[in-house]
Amino acid sequence: ERVKKASSVNFYLSLFTGVIFILISVPFMPQILQVLGVGVETAGPTRDYVLAYTFGAPFIIANFNLGQTVRGEGASKESLIGMIISVAVNMILDPVFIFVFGWGIKGAAWATVIGQVVSGVLVIVYFWKFRNMYLTGAMLKPKMPYLKAIISLGLASCINQIAMAIVQIVLNNILRHYG
């Protein structure tokens, strides 16, 4: 029962984090693109891609965290299947969105987001069907012990991801400056 509640808190917290990410990122998109080292000639397509991906953030974050939860339960095969389905949906939708609809780079971003959403839905179905775990409104209120456990488990990975992002941003800016 504790695992179910912690997993539900993790799911809702992921969605909440994604929404906060949207609310912070969208108004400051020009500044974010500048920090990322985007040049004048690539600013438009980069903005299109990053905006589409940003609006998918709640689903992308939730899908990632739910996939880790499935893997943590020892169901690595099921987690892998979810990732493969996400990639397959992305590969199918990429040419449709890019060439048929003429969306260009924005289409590639939306194909990625939709692939993540499909994978996330499959992970939720996995929890309902095989783990008898349901997400309820009562689970929206996170309890401190669950938050502490989630933060203690995810903090090291979060710091690692932030450090890698900083390195990538610095390298992008160096390459943009020096060619």
Side-chain angles (χ1 to χ4, degrees), residues 142-163:
K143 301 211 179 346
M144 194 52 71
Y146 300 125
L147 286 176
K148 285 181 181 177
I150 290 167
I151 290 169
S152 70
L153 289 171
L155 188 59
S157 177
C158 179
I159 291 170
N160 185 38
Q161 292 294 322
I162 290 170

Side-chain angles (χ1 to χ4, degrees), residues 3 65-76 79 126-127 131:
V3 172
N65 285 336
L66 288 174
Q68 297 301 322
T69 303
V70 170
R71 189 175 298 119
E73 285 190 335
S76 57
S79 178
Y126 164 82
F127 279 122
R131 295 292 186 241

